Amino acid sequence: MSKKLFLCAVLFLFTSSINMDARHKKTRRTVQTEQRYREIDNYDFLYTGEDYDFEQSSPVMDNVIDEAFTHIGARYVHGGKGPYVFDCSGFTSYVYKQIGVNISPSSKMQYATQTPIHNSELQRGDLVFFQGRSGRGGVGHVGIVVDVDHNNGTFNFIHASTSRGVRVSNSTESYYRSRYIGARRVME
């Protein structure tokens, strides 16, 4: 009887320590995600020109970006529409749905149905579109603009990438620079 009791106690302690390690790792990952968000959200250093309008951002678009950042690191799955796995257009439609705006879960339809805008008009929350992997034209990828540097025409965008899941990329990265198609505004 005492051997059984001893074994149960050892088993309990062993499983408790595994659970504590798992909680510690989850907490560490959460802290890392929050730190990345703070680093990316603090992008004021990019804007050195006097012609940038910091008042351009709206509370609604801030909510879009905040919602998008809560999914940093979520896995990419073709056809994934959230909240734990996404493909690119499933991600953008899910984020907008969380603030009460329904857009198509198809990147081609998002491109076709939302308001076209020129790059000089880009702002937080706009959708940006890229050719697919083949690079043979046509919409194949979409992301949400996080911030824009109007001095040099570059922007950061959050998207569900096939290789790294939900992440932030920059328009100057060669893969995206060579495949950029255009931008659309979801809300005026």
Side-chain angles (χ1 to χ4, degrees):
M1 178 70 174
S2 65
K3 285 184 179 181
K4 287 182 182 179
L5 187 58
F6 176 75
L7 256 149
C8 287
V10 169
L11 186 59
F12 175 76
L13 289 173
F14 180 72
T15 58
S16 295
S17 68
I18 289 174
N19 288 338
M20 290 177 78
D21 286 345
R23 280 183 286 202
H24 179 69
K25 287 178 184 175
K26 183 177 181 181
T27 302
R28 187 179 322 141
R29 182 174 181 174
T30 302
V31 167
Q32 289 172 338
T33 300
E34 290 172 354
Q35 182 180 0
R36 270 190 249 151
Y37 174 77
R38 282 192 304 273
E39 288 171 0
I40 293 168
D41 196 35
N42 184 18
Y43 49 82
D44 296 349
F45 67 91
L46 293 174
Y47 310 107
T48 57
E50 295 177 17
D51 59 349
Y52 183 75
D53 180 9
F54 284 99
E55 301 303 316
Q56 194 173 33
S57 185
S58 74
V60 174
M61 287 304 112
D62 291 343
N63 290 340
V64 168
I65 302 305
D66 289 345
E67 175 62 33
F69 272 96
T70 65
H71 302 286
I72 287 277
R75 286 184 317 114
Y76 178 93
V77 173
H78 180 73
K81 301 201 181 347
Y84 305 108
V85 296
F86 298 96
D87 66 9
C88 64
S89 55
F91 174 69
T92 55
S93 64
Y94 180 86
V95 167
Y96 268 96
K97 186 174 186 175
Q98 300 314 297
I99 65 154
V101 177
N102 289 318
I103 60 175
S104 171
S106 156
S107 57
K108 290 178 177 127
M109 287 301 294
Q110 290 175 9
Y111 186 78
T113 59
Q114 301 306 314
T115 306
I117 57 170
H118 190 270
N119 280 4
S120 63
E121 301 172 289
L122 268 180
Q123 53 187 286
R124 288 169 52 98
D126 288 338
L127 300 178
V128 285
F129 296 87
F130 305 86
Q131 294 175 357
R133 285 181 173 173
S134 67
R136 287 187 240 153
V139 172
H141 191 66
V142 61
I144 301 172
V145 174
V146 173
D147 63 274
V148 182
D149 183 346
H150 288 288
N151 292 323
N152 62 18
T154 64
F155 56 88
N156 289 315
F157 61 102
I158 187 168
H159 60 117
S161 73
T162 56
S163 61
R164 295 177 58 192
V166 176
R167 65 184 299 248
V168 174
S169 296
N170 188 279
S171 61
T172 61
E173 294 173 33
S174 62
Y175 182 87
Y176 299 109
R177 184 179 63 240
S178 65
R179 288 175 170 79
Y180 181 69
I181 294 174
R184 298 292 187 259
R185 179 146 309 142
V186 176
M187 300 172 59
E188 290 297 328

